Amino acid sequence: MTTIPPAKSVAATLGLLALLLSGCEGFDNLGGQPPSVNLDRDAVARVATAARDSGEYAAAAGVYEKYVMMHPEDAAAQAGLAEAALQAGEMDKASESFTKALALAPNRTEARMGLGRIYLAQHKPDRALTEFQAVVAADPKNIRALNGTGIALDLLGRSREAQQSYRAALAIKPDDRAVRNNLGLSLALSGSYDQAIAELSKLTLESGATPRMRQNLALALGLKGDETGMARIARSDLDDAAIAENQRLFATMRRLTKSGDAEVRPAVADKRPGS
């Protein structure tokens, strides 16, 4: 088990590493030699992990960034920088570093998964699908990649294929909540209301059920036309005004779906790969 150091200890360690990374010019120049620092990548990774575990994502990215400036050909460090930057919300930097990591080592799974997550957030499901499918091709039992593939397919309107991908993941890990939630939402948005309600009802009865899971069940009930059931479930997390607004929205969605004037698709915010 990883021990998370106290915040002060993490800050002190990061400060010390920053000094080391900047180079000890005063001492080096006393000997007439140019400044040089040869840090061990594993040590950098440990410090960055400690920062990340304490929620200091920008600090973790900074640690990796200073390291890769000196070692730009280190694919693992590029991937580490990218993941830390992504967690810090710096998607451009994350995308650049994941791309560099893949150029250096085309088989790095975490780099492809990271790019897939970024493309989903950027509303580019076609590009996300390419990355997730590449991971699945290399590792057919990668649950996160199968889940990501399903999300991308759902966003592209290919719900039947999406559900096949979710079910493939559940065949490997039947109790994966993220995948079960996404399958239930996919079923609801593709019109298989009874299946969606059955799947999501089981999920919301389990300990640790989240508001998102309950609201997905409310969505399935609302799309089916069960407004009483929808309100009962939604009331766990929403006030009466929000429930009334959702009832109007679901009624509109039902009309549009029946008339064929619109296709219902999930929003990226509702469908995220399990970590």
Side-chain angles (χ1 to χ4, degrees):
M1 177 180 296
T2 301
T3 301
I4 301 175
K8 289 184 179 179
S9 175
V10 172
T13 305
L14 289 173
L16 176 59
L17 186 61
L19 289 173
L20 289 171
L21 286 167
S22 67
C24 304
E25 296 186 30
F27 290 106
D28 286 338
N29 287 339
L30 287 174
Q33 300 296 322
S36 64
V37 178
N38 184 22
L39 290 175
D40 177 72
R41 187 185 69 200
D42 291 339
V44 171
R46 285 194 296 273
V47 174
T49 298
R52 190 173 64 242
D53 287 347
S54 63
E56 298 291 337
Y57 303 124
V63 170
Y64 273 121
E65 192 165 24
K66 288 183 174 65
Y67 178 82
V68 299
M69 286 176 64
M70 294 183 289
H71 304 279
E73 303 302 309
D74 190 325
Q78 290 284 3
L81 167 58
E83 184 61 35
L86 181 55
Q87 291 175 323
E90 300 179 65
M91 283 202 289
D92 288 343
K93 182 183 292 185
S95 180
E96 179 183 0
S97 295
F98 277 135
T99 300
K100 287 179 179 178
L102 279 177
L104 293 166
N107 294 323
R108 292 203 74 89
T109 295
E110 73 273 30
R112 290 205 179 278
M113 290 296 300
L115 283 174
R117 289 154 59 199
I118 290 172
Y119 291 143
L120 286 180
Q122 293 176 335
H123 306 281
K124 299 175 182 177
D126 52 340
R127 298 185 70 175
L129 181 61
T130 297
E131 300 299 338
F132 292 134
Q133 287 185 325
V135 176
V136 172
D139 179 9
K141 293 188 177 182
N142 188 309
I143 295 171
R144 291 177 62 226
L146 288 166
N147 190 37
T149 296
I151 294 168
L153 288 167
D154 260 332
L155 291 170
L156 290 168
R158 296 161 59 180
S159 58
R160 180 168 297 184
E161 295 171 78
Q163 290 156 26
Q164 290 174 345
S165 191
Y166 296 136
R167 294 187 192 282
L170 291 174
I172 301 166
K173 188 179 179 183
D175 61 346
D176 191 293
R177 292 182 177 178
V179 180
R180 291 167 62 196
N181 180 58
N182 286 344
L183 173 60
L185 182 55
S186 178
L187 289 165
L189 293 169
S190 62
S192 299
Y193 305 129
D194 289 337
Q195 292 182 57
I197 292 167
E199 182 65 42
L200 292 167
S201 292
K202 289 185 292 185
L203 193 57
T204 56
L205 289 173
E206 296 175 3
S207 61
T210 66
R212 175 166 295 168
M213 294 170 185
R214 290 190 290 270
Q215 294 313 308
N216 284 344
L217 173 57
L219 169 67
L221 290 164
L223 291 178
K224 185 182 179 182
D226 183 355
E227 294 195 1
T228 300
M230 185 279 288
R232 176 176 53 82
I233 298 299
R235 194 162 284 114
S236 300
D237 307 290
L238 304 179
D239 59 26
D240 289 342
I243 292 170
E245 180 61 29
N246 281 352
Q247 287 175 324
R248 288 191 289 272
L249 173 63
F250 297 157
T252 300
M253 292 168 71
R254 288 196 301 273
R255 288 196 300 273
L256 291 173
T257 303
K258 288 178 181 177
S259 67
D261 291 338
E263 181 180 13
V264 179
R265 291 191 185 182
V268 170
D270 291 331
K271 307 290 293 298
R272 297 179 183 175
S275 58

